[in-house]
Amino acid sequence: MFGIPGKQAVTLTAKATAQIVSLMERDGHQGLRIGVKKGGCAGMEYTMDYAEAIDPNDEVVEQDGARVMIAPMAQMFLFGTEIDYEVGLLEAGFKFRNPNVEDACGCGESIKFKDVEELSAEQGHG
């Protein structure tokens, strides 16, 4: 994991924690697995899926009963991210406040990350 010893890879707001706990209890999932994939007009998109099991390569973040697993290929891109859950008039969903994002598309559905070498250097791996 691209991390700092003693510091969680991502943090969850109280609203995100409550929503994840609710989803875990309702459907009996082990948690949510988050990742990134190529797509969207800015180049990358976040992914979020129910996790039926914990993969040994996942980075596991547990906070107040909520569990998030970070897929191996996403760990470097998500380090330092705060995950929130927002409810608006027309939509509700998880929001990522990610310091590693350099740019985002106008609709907010896709992101562009800083250069990989720049991310490694910022996280102390350069």
Side-chain angles (χ1 to χ4, degrees):
M1 175 69 192
F2 288 83
I4 298 170
K7 181 175 165 83
Q8 289 193 138
V10 300
T11 57
L12 307 171
T13 65
K15 289 180 181 179
T17 299
Q19 182 66 20
I20 293 168
V21 167
S22 174
L23 292 170
M24 289 171 63
E25 289 174 352
R26 185 181 73 201
D27 299 321
H29 300 291
Q30 291 293 312
L32 294 178
R33 180 170 289 112
I34 58 175
V36 294
K37 69 176 184 175
K38 291 187 181 214
C41 51
M44 300 289 280
E45 297 175 323
Y46 294 112
T47 63
M48 203 169 222
D49 297 300
Y50 293 113
E52 302 303 327
I54 300 172
D55 185 301
N57 295 316
D58 287 343
E59 176 73 15
V60 179
V61 174
E62 294 183 282
Q63 185 175 314
D64 299 324
R67 184 180 300 120
V68 173
M69 286 76 88
I70 305 171
M73 295 301 291
Q75 292 172 5
M76 181 169 83
F77 298 107
L78 294 174
F79 184 77
T81 298
E82 178 187 67
I83 301 172
D84 194 9
Y85 187 78
E86 297 178 356
V87 178
L89 289 174
L90 300 176
E91 65 181 7
F94 290 98
K95 302 293 180 190
F96 293 75
R97 293 185 189 98
N98 188 335
N100 305 309
V101 170
E102 181 177 80
D103 196 12
C105 67
C107 64
E109 293 296 318
S110 67
I111 64 277
K112 178 182 176 192
F113 291 104
K114 297 175 184 175
D115 184 86
V116 172
E117 287 81 21
E118 185 179 345
L119 283 176
S120 290
E122 286 179 6
Q123 295 170 10
H125 298 282

